[in-house]
């Protein structure tokens, strides 16, 4: 037979569970989703009364993914009432970044993949830079610095510092005009995609003998690019 203290403990535990669940339900009810099409039933994480973090929101449409400040923001899957589906990246409740959009065309599923900005499709994602030829190259780094200029600047590096032992440098490019920026060389006013080939003489890391290095690469995406070549 249970003691009165045991019964009290059970009752207190039951009340705790009730109020704990109640607080969760209240939190869910007061967690706002600001995109009207999916504002209805929300289950997920909240912050300051707004959907924030991983969650699912169902209204006329449905969204399952990351939220921020009450809007789809991050990665998530959005399903429209007509069955269309977008799976990818979001910013401020709009498709922005990389994603796949699947819709019906002639009763068949059609998918477009690529980059989006402010809910508009920009086109397929450009290919990553490609190295075509590499001789006597220790390592390299090709990265985009921005979109202000259509330019490629090249830096030669050895033992962690600028390689001052470069000689007999020959370079060619599909397009653009030769340019120099301090110790950087390259091409400006480029039309992408572009293929650039370099060949030059340099000392090895120990400085004991000269070697002939060749580096040929192709960049597909417009922008201001930097290429670091390590010997």
């Amino acid at each position: 037979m249970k003691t009165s203290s045991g019964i009290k403990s059970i009752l207190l535990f039951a009340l705790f569970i009730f109020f704990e669940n109640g607080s969760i339900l209240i939190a869910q009810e007061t967690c706002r989703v600001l995109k009207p099409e999916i504002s209805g039933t929300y289950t997920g994480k909240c912050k300051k009364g707004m959907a924030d973090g991983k969650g699912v929101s169902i209204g006329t449409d449905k969204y399952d993914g990351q939220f921020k400040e009450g809007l789809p923001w991050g990665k998530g899957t959005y399903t429209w009432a007509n069955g269309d589906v977008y799976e990818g990246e979001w910013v401020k409740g709009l498709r922005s970044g990389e994603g796949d959009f699947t819709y019906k065309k002639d009763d068949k599923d059609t998918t477009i993949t690529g980059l989006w900005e402010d809910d508009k499709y920009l086109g397929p994602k450009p290919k990553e830079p490609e190295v075509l030829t590499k001789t006597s190259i220790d390592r390299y780094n090709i990265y985009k610095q921005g979109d202000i200029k259509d330019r490629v600047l090249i830096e030669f590096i050895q033992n962690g510092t600028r390689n001052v032992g470069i000689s007999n440098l020959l370079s060619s490019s599909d397009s653009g005009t030769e340019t120099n920026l301090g110790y950087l060389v390259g091409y400006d006013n480029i039309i992408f995609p572009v293929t650039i080939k370099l060949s030059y003489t340099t000392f090895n890391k120990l400085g004991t003998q000269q070697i002939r290095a060749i580096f040929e690469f192709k960049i597909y995406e417009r922008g201001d690019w930097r290429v670091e070549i390590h010997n």
Side-chain angles (χ1 to χ4, degrees), residues 96-97 112-125:
S96 293
I112 54 175
T113 299
L115 302 178
W116 302 75
E117 184 176 358
D118 295 334
D119 234 21
K120 297 178 181 177
Y121 180 62
L122 301 181
K125 182 181 179 181

Side-chain angles (χ1 to χ4, degrees), residues 26-108:
I26 292 169
Q28 294 291 5
E29 289 172 1
T30 59
C31 192
R32 297 175 62 200
V33 173
L34 300 182
K35 193 173 179 67
E37 297 84 355
I38 57 173
S39 180
T41 303
Y42 175 76
T43 304
K45 294 185 177 181
C46 297
K47 186 177 180 181
K48 296 180 180 179
M50 297 286 187
D52 202 298
K54 183 72 170 66
V56 179
S57 190
I58 303 174
T60 306
D61 303 331
K62 176 184 176 182
Y63 175 78
D64 183 348
Q66 293 292 324
F67 284 84
K68 183 180 177 182
E69 298 174 2
L71 292 168
W73 202 323
K75 291 186 177 181
T77 301
Y78 192 105
T79 305
W80 281 263
N82 65 359
D84 294 348
V85 177
Y86 171 82
E87 184 175 357
E89 298 173 323
W90 296 79
V91 175
K92 296 182 179 179
L94 301 174
R95 290 171 289 183
S96 293
E98 189 174 352
D100 302 331
F101 178 56
T102 302
Y103 62 99
K104 288 289 185 182
K105 184 177 181 181
D106 300 327
D107 293 327
K108 294 182 180 180

Side-chain angles (χ1 to χ4, degrees), residues 1-226:
M1 186 173 182
K2 294 182 179 178
T3 65
S4 59
S5 60
I7 293 172
K8 286 180 180 179
S9 298
I10 293 171
L11 287 173
L12 287 172
F13 180 75
L15 287 171
F16 172 78
I17 295 296
F18 173 80
F19 285 114
E20 183 70 13
N21 289 338
S23 66
I24 292 172
L25 290 173
I26 292 169
Q28 294 291 5
E29 289 172 1
T30 59
C31 192
R32 297 175 62 200
V33 173
L34 300 182
K35 193 173 179 67
E37 297 84 355
I38 57 173
S39 180
T41 303
Y42 175 76
T43 304
K45 294 185 177 181
C46 297
K47 186 177 180 181
K48 296 180 180 179
M50 297 286 187
D52 202 298
K54 183 72 170 66
V56 179
S57 190
I58 303 174
T60 306
D61 303 331
K62 176 184 176 182
Y63 175 78
D64 183 348
Q66 293 292 324
F67 284 84
K68 183 180 177 182
E69 298 174 2
L71 292 168
W73 202 323
K75 291 186 177 181
T77 301
Y78 192 105
T79 305
W80 281 263
N82 65 359
D84 294 348
V85 177
Y86 171 82
E87 184 175 357
E89 298 173 323
W90 296 79
V91 175
K92 296 182 179 179
L94 301 174
R95 290 171 289 183
S96 293
E98 189 174 352
D100 302 331
F101 178 56
T102 302
Y103 62 99
K104 288 289 185 182
K105 184 177 181 181
D106 300 327
D107 293 327
K108 294 182 180 180
D109 284 339
T110 301
T111 301
I112 54 175
T113 299
L115 302 178
W116 302 75
E117 184 176 358
D118 295 334
D119 234 21
K120 297 178 181 177
Y121 180 62
L122 301 181
K125 182 181 179 181
K127 292 176 63 177
E128 295 293 327
E130 181 181 3
V131 174
L132 305 176
T133 305
K134 181 170 67 75
T135 303
S136 299
I137 303 297
D138 183 31
R139 57 191 175 90
Y140 60 87
N141 189 19
I142 303 175
Y143 60 94
K144 189 178 180 181
Q145 299 185 111
D147 297 302
I148 298 175
K149 290 190 174 184
D150 291 323
R151 178 177 66 177
V152 175
L153 292 175
I154 302 157
E155 180 180 8
F156 300 97
I157 302 172
Q158 189 171 67
N159 296 325
T161 61
R162 180 163 63 96
N163 188 349
V164 296
I166 298 293
S167 61
N168 303 317
L169 174 63
L170 299 174
S171 67
S172 62
S173 174
D174 287 342
S175 65
T177 55
E178 290 190 21
T179 188
N180 293 275
L181 184 63
Y183 58 87
L184 303 174
V185 300
Y187 292 88
D188 210 341
N189 303 314
I190 289 175
I191 298 173
F192 292 89
V194 64
T195 299
I196 296 175
K197 183 176 182 178
L198 306 163
S199 65
Y200 55 93
T201 301
T202 184
F203 282 95
N204 61 8
K205 285 186 175 183
L206 299 176
T208 56
Q209 65 177 4
Q210 287 191 320
I211 56 176
R212 190 66 181 171
I214 299 173
F215 191 68
E216 183 179 9
F217 59 94
K218 187 171 186 175
I219 298 177
Y220 296 87
E221 182 183 1
R222 291 186 60 185
D224 192 357
W225 290 84
R226 184 77 167 262

